[in-house]
Amino acid sequence: MRSATLGHIPNLPEKFGEEFALELFKRANFNRHFEYKVKEAAEKKLFTIPIYLSIGTEFNAAVFSMMLQGYKIFGQHRCHSIYLSFGGKPEALRDELLGLETGCSRGMSGSNAIQAPEANMFGHSGLMGEQVPIACGAAFASREPCLTICGDASVEEDYIYPSLGWAATEKLPMIFVCEDNDLSILTKVSVRRNWSPANVAASMGIPAVDIADDPWVIAYHLETMKENLPGFLNIRSVRHLWHAGTGVDDVPEWDRYQLTTAAMEKLGLKSKMSVIEDENKERAHAIWADCLED
Ligand SMILES: Cc1ncc(C[n+]2csc(CCOP(=O)(O)OP(=O)(O)O)c2C)c(N)n1
Ligand SMILES: [Mg+2]
């Protein structure tokens, strides 16, 4: 069932157009260059906390931020790209990872529990999936739109399902995302359960899809779902590096970054992408230069 083309819809890159693709690339590419610097800093042992890198899922964050403007975000531990895509300040994330008072959570959250009101980001403190009921409470109290993201393991926590049920009953303005990398640290879904979170959400009357991490397919469904919230997306994704830290467990099942940039190049965007990439690289370099210089 896991495949890079799950839920594929033809011709979406052309339909969403050039401007959309370039903005998507700009965000995802910066996420990637920022994370490369975090990796470098981790390898130089600049951090005293565990680091959860989002390399491999940069396009998920980028497309959520483009489609869900104004949403409150309740993410999980693999959220650097979410913070950056939704307008968080990269310097404040750098300082957060370094444990400084100038960090986005005053150095108290670290990598896994980013709280950053300026990026509209709340909710997680390390207990897997807790952000989902907290997001429901926020959507219920404020009636403002909320995005909550959990992993394929956290989605198994028992408090997730009353949250979905309450969102369905109250028609809460929420998008639920399960970023499904098929891993609970190292244990695959097939060992842990025989049911599908999207089917359970659908059984409660929540429009739900089970798709691969193709950003245009995600954009297509978000556009539709936003008209009739709540909605649930199980997004098959791939983390390229260890659960925490910078090592590699295995060859990635697929490389979404490569697949997406190839599709963008087919739209004739190669030279514009190269200009954007140079700017992003330089920006990430400047942000980390003082820390990484020997
Ligand atoms: C309630 C709870 N149980 C166990 C843990 C330990 N733990 C931290 S991350 C993790 C796996 C998370 O997997 P998933 O939700 O799929 O996210 P991913 O790391 O794959 O992005 C576990 C078991 C925890 N933090 N909280
Ligand atoms: Mg997982």
Side-chain angles (χ1 to χ4, degrees), residues 80-107:
H80 299 175
S81 290
I82 293 285
Y83 170 84
L84 295 171
S85 297
F86 277 90
K89 291 194 190 75
E91 295 82 0
L93 179 54
R94 173 201 62 201
D95 289 357
E96 186 59 34
L97 302 179
L98 292 166
L100 303 176
E101 178 72 23
T102 44
C104 55
S105 316
R106 298 196 190 156

PDB file of all heavy atoms in Angstrom, residues 80-107:
ATOM      1  N   HIS A  80      10.554  21.406  12.655  1.00  0.00           N
ATOM      2  CA  HIS A  80      11.332  22.598  12.269  1.00  0.00           C
ATOM      3  C   HIS A  80      10.785  23.205  10.981  1.00  0.00           C
ATOM      4  O   HIS A  80      10.649  24.420  10.860  1.00  0.00           O
ATOM      5  CB  HIS A  80      12.815  22.250  12.019  1.00  0.00           C
ATOM      6  CG  HIS A  80      13.538  21.697  13.210  1.00  0.00           C
ATOM      7  ND1 HIS A  80      14.837  21.238  13.145  1.00  0.00           N
ATOM      8  CD2 HIS A  80      13.154  21.517  14.502  1.00  0.00           C
ATOM      9  CE1 HIS A  80      15.224  20.817  14.330  1.00  0.00           C
ATOM     10  NE2 HIS A  80      14.222  20.968  15.172  1.00  0.00           N
ATOM     11  N   SER A  81      10.490  22.334   9.999  1.00  0.00           N
ATOM     12  CA  SER A  81      10.017  22.855   8.697  1.00  0.00           C
ATOM     13  C   SER A  81       8.649  23.513   8.833  1.00  0.00           C
ATOM     14  O   SER A  81       8.341  24.460   8.110  1.00  0.00           O
ATOM     15  CB  SER A  81       9.935  21.733   7.658  1.00  0.00           C
ATOM     16  OG  SER A  81      11.225  21.308   7.297  1.00  0.00           O
ATOM     17  N   ILE A  82       7.833  22.993   9.748  1.00  0.00           N
ATOM     18  CA  ILE A  82       6.514  23.606   9.968  1.00  0.00           C
ATOM     19  C   ILE A  82       6.711  25.019  10.512  1.00  0.00           C
ATOM     20  O   ILE A  82       6.130  25.983  10.025  1.00  0.00           O
ATOM     21  CB  ILE A  82       5.684  22.747  10.969  1.00  0.00           C
ATOM     22  CG1 ILE A  82       5.330  21.389  10.363  1.00  0.00           C
ATOM     23  CG2 ILE A  82       4.444  23.492  11.450  1.00  0.00           C
ATOM     24  CD1 ILE A  82       4.241  21.417   9.313  1.00  0.00           C
ATOM     25  N   TYR A  83       7.548  25.124  11.532  1.00  0.00           N
ATOM     26  CA  TYR A  83       7.803  26.443  12.137  1.00  0.00           C
ATOM     27  C   TYR A  83       8.321  27.426  11.077  1.00  0.00           C
ATOM     28  O   TYR A  83       7.830  28.550  10.966  1.00  0.00           O
ATOM     29  CB  TYR A  83       8.823  26.276  13.280  1.00  0.00           C
ATOM     30  CG  TYR A  83       9.348  27.578  13.830  1.00  0.00           C
ATOM     31  CD1 TYR A  83       8.642  28.283  14.798  1.00  0.00           C
ATOM     32  CD2 TYR A  83      10.553  28.111  13.376  1.00  0.00           C
ATOM     33  CE1 TYR A  83       9.126  29.497  15.294  1.00  0.00           C
ATOM     34  CE2 TYR A  83      11.044  29.307  13.866  1.00  0.00           C
ATOM     35  CZ  TYR A  83      10.330  29.997  14.824  1.00  0.00           C
ATOM     36  OH  TYR A  83      10.799  31.187  15.308  1.00  0.00           O
ATOM     37  N   LEU A  84       9.283  26.999  10.292  1.00  0.00           N
ATOM     38  CA  LEU A  84       9.875  27.905   9.290  1.00  0.00           C
ATOM     39  C   LEU A  84       8.865  28.252   8.206  1.00  0.00           C
ATOM     40  O   LEU A  84       8.732  29.406   7.812  1.00  0.00           O
ATOM     41  CB  LEU A  84      11.110  27.247   8.655  1.00  0.00           C
ATOM     42  CG  LEU A  84      12.289  26.990   9.599  1.00  0.00           C
ATOM     43  CD1 LEU A  84      13.350  26.134   8.909  1.00  0.00           C
ATOM     44  CD2 LEU A  84      12.908  28.304  10.083  1.00  0.00           C
ATOM     45  N   SER A  85       8.113  27.261   7.745  1.00  0.00           N
ATOM     46  CA  SER A  85       7.169  27.514   6.643  1.00  0.00           C
ATOM     47  C   SER A  85       6.050  28.459   7.060  1.00  0.00           C
ATOM     48  O   SER A  85       5.560  29.244   6.256  1.00  0.00           O
ATOM     49  CB  SER A  85       6.550  26.204   6.150  1.00  0.00           C
ATOM     50  OG  SER A  85       7.535  25.372   5.625  1.00  0.00           O
ATOM     51  N   PHE A  86       5.629  28.357   8.322  1.00  0.00           N
ATOM     52  CA  PHE A  86       4.523  29.207   8.787  1.00  0.00           C
ATOM     53  C   PHE A  86       5.010  30.563   9.280  1.00  0.00           C
ATOM     54  O   PHE A  86       4.288  31.254   9.989  1.00  0.00           O
ATOM     55  CB  PHE A  86       3.695  28.491   9.849  1.00  0.00           C
ATOM     56  CG  PHE A  86       2.662  27.558   9.254  1.00  0.00           C
ATOM     57  CD1 PHE A  86       2.972  26.237   9.004  1.00  0.00           C
ATOM     58  CD2 PHE A  86       1.391  28.022   8.920  1.00  0.00           C
ATOM     59  CE1 PHE A  86       2.031  25.375   8.435  1.00  0.00           C
ATOM     60  CE2 PHE A  86       0.452  27.172   8.360  1.00  0.00           C
ATOM     61  CZ  PHE A  86       0.768  25.844   8.112  1.00  0.00           C
ATOM     62  N   GLY A  87       6.233  30.922   8.940  1.00  0.00           N
ATOM     63  CA  GLY A  87       6.678  32.284   9.209  1.00  0.00           C
ATOM     64  C   GLY A  87       7.481  32.437  10.482  1.00  0.00           C
ATOM     65  O   GLY A  87       7.743  33.567  10.902  1.00  0.00           O
ATOM     66  N   GLY A  88       7.885  31.318  11.105  1.00  0.00           N
ATOM     67  CA  GLY A  88       8.753  31.428  12.279  1.00  0.00           C
ATOM     68  C   GLY A  88      10.115  31.977  11.865  1.00  0.00           C
ATOM     69  O   GLY A  88      10.569  31.774  10.740  1.00  0.00           O
ATOM     70  N   LYS A  89      10.744  32.682  12.794  1.00  0.00           N
ATOM     71  CA  LYS A  89      12.044  33.293  12.461  1.00  0.00           C
ATOM     72  C   LYS A  89      13.149  32.239  12.587  1.00  0.00           C
ATOM     73  O   LYS A  89      13.336  31.676  13.671  1.00  0.00           O
ATOM     74  CB  LYS A  89      12.355  34.435  13.435  1.00  0.00           C
ATOM     75  CG  LYS A  89      11.455  35.637  13.274  1.00  0.00           C
ATOM     76  CD  LYS A  89      12.042  36.831  14.034  1.00  0.00           C
ATOM     77  CE  LYS A  89      11.073  37.981  14.096  1.00  0.00           C
ATOM     78  NZ  LYS A  89       9.960  37.756  15.063  1.00  0.00           N
ATOM     79  N   PRO A  90      13.903  32.029  11.522  1.00  0.00           N
ATOM     80  CA  PRO A  90      14.948  30.998  11.578  1.00  0.00           C
ATOM     81  C   PRO A  90      15.990  31.264  12.664  1.00  0.00           C
ATOM     82  O   PRO A  90      16.483  30.335  13.301  1.00  0.00           O
ATOM     83  CB  PRO A  90      15.579  31.023  10.190  1.00  0.00           C
ATOM     84  CG  PRO A  90      14.915  32.101   9.424  1.00  0.00           C
ATOM     85  CD  PRO A  90      13.759  32.622  10.195  1.00  0.00           C
ATOM     86  N   GLU A  91      16.297  32.550  12.896  1.00  0.00           N
ATOM     87  CA  GLU A  91      17.299  32.868  13.937  1.00  0.00           C
ATOM     88  C   GLU A  91      16.778  32.436  15.307  1.00  0.00           C
ATOM     89  O   GLU A  91      17.542  31.977  16.162  1.00  0.00           O
ATOM     90  CB  GLU A  91      17.604  34.376  13.967  1.00  0.00           C
ATOM     91  CG  GLU A  91      18.265  34.933  12.731  1.00  0.00           C
ATOM     92  CD  GLU A  91      17.284  35.238  11.585  1.00  0.00           C
ATOM     93  OE1 GLU A  91      16.057  35.012  11.752  1.00  0.00           O
ATOM     94  OE2 GLU A  91      17.761  35.688  10.526  1.00  0.00           O
ATOM     95  N   ALA A  92      15.457  32.594  15.506  1.00  0.00           N
ATOM     96  CA  ALA A  92      14.871  32.223  16.803  1.00  0.00           C
ATOM     97  C   ALA A  92      14.838  30.705  16.968  1.00  0.00           C
ATOM     98  O   ALA A  92      14.982  30.186  18.083  1.00  0.00           O
ATOM     99  CB  ALA A  92      13.461  32.806  16.914  1.00  0.00           C
ATOM    100  N   LEU A  93      14.699  29.967  15.865  1.00  0.00           N
ATOM    101  CA  LEU A  93      14.756  28.500  15.965  1.00  0.00           C
ATOM    102  C   LEU A  93      16.195  28.052  16.247  1.00  0.00           C
ATOM    103  O   LEU A  93      16.438  27.180  17.094  1.00  0.00           O
ATOM    104  CB  LEU A  93      14.223  27.852  14.674  1.00  0.00           C
ATOM    105  CG  LEU A  93      14.246  26.321  14.644  1.00  0.00           C
ATOM    106  CD1 LEU A  93      13.521  25.710  15.849  1.00  0.00           C
ATOM    107  CD2 LEU A  93      13.624  25.791  13.347  1.00  0.00           C
ATOM    108  N   ARG A  94      17.143  28.676  15.552  1.00  0.00           N
ATOM    109  CA  ARG A  94      18.562  28.377  15.830  1.00  0.00           C
ATOM    110  C   ARG A  94      18.847  28.569  17.322  1.00  0.00           C
ATOM    111  O   ARG A  94      19.395  27.673  17.980  1.00  0.00           O
ATOM    112  CB  ARG A  94      19.451  29.310  14.990  1.00  0.00           C
ATOM    113  CG  ARG A  94      20.939  29.218  15.318  1.00  0.00           C
ATOM    114  CD  ARG A  94      21.677  30.474  14.859  1.00  0.00           C
ATOM    115  NE  ARG A  94      21.176  31.660  15.555  1.00  0.00           N
ATOM    116  CZ  ARG A  94      21.298  32.921  15.122  1.00  0.00           C
ATOM    117  NH1 ARG A  94      21.939  33.172  13.984  1.00  0.00           N
ATOM    118  NH2 ARG A  94      20.797  33.934  15.820  1.00  0.00           N
ATOM    119  N   ASP A  95      18.421  29.708  17.858  1.00  0.00           N
ATOM    120  CA  ASP A  95      18.709  30.008  19.265  1.00  0.00           C
ATOM    121  C   ASP A  95      17.975  29.047  20.190  1.00  0.00           C
ATOM    122  O   ASP A  95      18.492  28.667  21.249  1.00  0.00           O
ATOM    123  CB  ASP A  95      18.336  31.462  19.589  1.00  0.00           C
ATOM    124  CG  ASP A  95      19.300  32.444  18.920  1.00  0.00           C
ATOM    125  OD1 ASP A  95      20.265  31.979  18.272  1.00  0.00           O
ATOM    126  OD2 ASP A  95      19.083  33.660  19.047  1.00  0.00           O
ATOM    127  N   GLU A  96      16.772  28.635  19.779  1.00  0.00           N
ATOM    128  CA  GLU A  96      16.018  27.666  20.583  1.00  0.00           C
ATOM    129  C   GLU A  96      16.807  26.356  20.691  1.00  0.00           C
ATOM    130  O   GLU A  96      16.942  25.773  21.766  1.00  0.00           O
ATOM    131  CB  GLU A  96      14.650  27.408  19.924  1.00  0.00           C
ATOM    132  CG  GLU A  96      13.725  26.527  20.738  1.00  0.00           C
ATOM    133  CD  GLU A  96      13.432  27.099  22.113  1.00  0.00           C
ATOM    134  OE1 GLU A  96      13.356  28.327  22.262  1.00  0.00           O
ATOM    135  OE2 GLU A  96      13.299  26.277  23.056  1.00  0.00           O
ATOM    136  N   LEU A  97      17.329  25.903  19.555  1.00  0.00           N
ATOM    137  CA  LEU A  97      18.065  24.640  19.550  1.00  0.00           C
ATOM    138  C   LEU A  97      19.341  24.745  20.387  1.00  0.00           C
ATOM    139  O   LEU A  97      19.798  23.767  20.973  1.00  0.00           O
ATOM    140  CB  LEU A  97      18.405  24.216  18.115  1.00  0.00           C
ATOM    141  CG  LEU A  97      17.206  24.052  17.171  1.00  0.00           C
ATOM    142  CD1 LEU A  97      17.666  23.644  15.781  1.00  0.00           C
ATOM    143  CD2 LEU A  97      16.201  23.041  17.711  1.00  0.00           C
ATOM    144  N   LEU A  98      19.865  25.970  20.449  1.00  0.00           N
ATOM    145  CA  LEU A  98      21.090  26.188  21.241  1.00  0.00           C
ATOM    146  C   LEU A  98      20.768  26.444  22.723  1.00  0.00           C
ATOM    147  O   LEU A  98      21.667  26.628  23.528  1.00  0.00           O
ATOM    148  CB  LEU A  98      21.866  27.383  20.672  1.00  0.00           C
ATOM    149  CG  LEU A  98      22.476  27.154  19.266  1.00  0.00           C
ATOM    150  CD1 LEU A  98      22.927  28.476  18.653  1.00  0.00           C
ATOM    151  CD2 LEU A  98      23.652  26.163  19.335  1.00  0.00           C
ATOM    152  N   GLY A  99      19.468  26.478  23.046  1.00  0.00           N
ATOM    153  CA  GLY A  99      19.062  26.653  24.446  1.00  0.00           C
ATOM    154  C   GLY A  99      19.191  28.083  24.945  1.00  0.00           C
ATOM    155  O   GLY A  99      19.350  28.320  26.144  1.00  0.00           O
ATOM    156  N   LEU A 100      19.121  29.048  24.026  1.00  0.00           N
ATOM    157  CA  LEU A 100      19.316  30.448  24.416  1.00  0.00           C
ATOM    158  C   LEU A 100      17.994  31.132  24.751  1.00  0.00           C
ATOM    159  O   LEU A 100      16.940  30.798  24.189  1.00  0.00           O
ATOM    160  CB  LEU A 100      20.015  31.219  23.279  1.00  0.00           C
ATOM    161  CG  LEU A 100      21.364  30.645  22.820  1.00  0.00           C
ATOM    162  CD1 LEU A 100      21.905  31.439  21.629  1.00  0.00           C
ATOM    163  CD2 LEU A 100      22.367  30.655  23.969  1.00  0.00           C
ATOM    164  N   GLU A 101      18.077  32.117  25.584  1.00  0.00           N
ATOM    165  CA  GLU A 101      16.932  32.948  25.983  1.00  0.00           C
ATOM    166  C   GLU A 101      16.255  33.611  24.769  1.00  0.00           C
ATOM    167  O   GLU A 101      15.059  33.862  24.760  1.00  0.00           O
ATOM    168  CB  GLU A 101      17.479  33.993  26.971  1.00  0.00           C
ATOM    169  CG  GLU A 101      16.539  35.009  27.524  1.00  0.00           C
ATOM    170  CD  GLU A 101      15.544  34.460  28.534  1.00  0.00           C
ATOM    171  OE1 GLU A 101      15.821  33.403  29.160  1.00  0.00           O
ATOM    172  OE2 GLU A 101      14.503  35.102  28.691  1.00  0.00           O
ATOM    173  N   THR A 102      17.039  33.850  23.721  1.00  0.00           N
ATOM    174  CA  THR A 102      16.520  34.468  22.490  1.00  0.00           C
ATOM    175  C   THR A 102      15.843  33.452  21.562  1.00  0.00           C
ATOM    176  O   THR A 102      15.432  33.798  20.456  1.00  0.00           O
ATOM    177  CB  THR A 102      17.670  35.157  21.725  1.00  0.00           C
ATOM    178  OG1 THR A 102      18.795  34.252  21.740  1.00  0.00           O
ATOM    179  CG2 THR A 102      18.069  36.458  22.363  1.00  0.00           C
ATOM    180  N   GLY A 103      15.709  32.211  22.001  1.00  0.00           N
ATOM    181  CA  GLY A 103      15.034  31.199  21.195  1.00  0.00           C
ATOM    182  C   GLY A 103      13.536  31.441  21.117  1.00  0.00           C
ATOM    183  O   GLY A 103      12.977  32.186  21.930  1.00  0.00           O
ATOM    184  N   CYS A 104      12.872  30.796  20.135  1.00  0.00           N
ATOM    185  CA  CYS A 104      11.435  31.060  19.918  1.00  0.00           C
ATOM    186  C   CYS A 104      10.607  30.642  21.131  1.00  0.00           C
ATOM    187  O   CYS A 104       9.497  31.138  21.327  1.00  0.00           O
ATOM    188  CB  CYS A 104      10.947  30.368  18.653  1.00  0.00           C
ATOM    189  SG  CYS A 104      11.265  28.610  18.589  1.00  0.00           S
ATOM    190  N   SER A 105      11.106  29.735  21.951  1.00  0.00           N
ATOM    191  CA  SER A 105      10.423  29.376  23.202  1.00  0.00           C
ATOM    192  C   SER A 105      11.340  29.661  24.387  1.00  0.00           C
ATOM    193  O   SER A 105      11.359  28.915  25.363  1.00  0.00           O
ATOM    194  CB  SER A 105      10.017  27.905  23.184  1.00  0.00           C
ATOM    195  OG  SER A 105       9.453  27.525  21.956  1.00  0.00           O
ATOM    196  N   ARG A 106      12.122  30.719  24.244  1.00  0.00           N
ATOM    197  CA  ARG A 106      13.079  31.166  25.270  1.00  0.00           C
ATOM    198  C   ARG A 106      14.061  30.067  25.687  1.00  0.00           C
ATOM    199  O   ARG A 106      14.455  29.958  26.857  1.00  0.00           O
ATOM    200  CB  ARG A 106      12.333  31.675  26.504  1.00  0.00           C
ATOM    201  CG  ARG A 106      11.483  32.871  26.163  1.00  0.00           C
ATOM    202  CD  ARG A 106      11.076  33.589  27.397  1.00  0.00           C
ATOM    203  NE  ARG A 106      10.078  34.583  27.072  1.00  0.00           N
ATOM    204  CZ  ARG A 106       9.197  35.058  27.933  1.00  0.00           C
ATOM    205  NH1 ARG A 106       9.191  34.637  29.187  1.00  0.00           N
ATOM    206  NH2 ARG A 106       8.336  35.958  27.582  1.00  0.00           N
ATOM    207  N   GLY A 107      14.335  29.182  24.759  1.00  0.00           N
ATOM    208  CA  GLY A 107      15.311  28.131  25.035  1.00  0.00           C
ATOM    209  C   GLY A 107      14.777  27.016  25.905  1.00  0.00           C
ATOM    210  O   GLY A 107      15.544  26.151  26.346  1.00  0.00           O
TER     211      GLY A 107
END
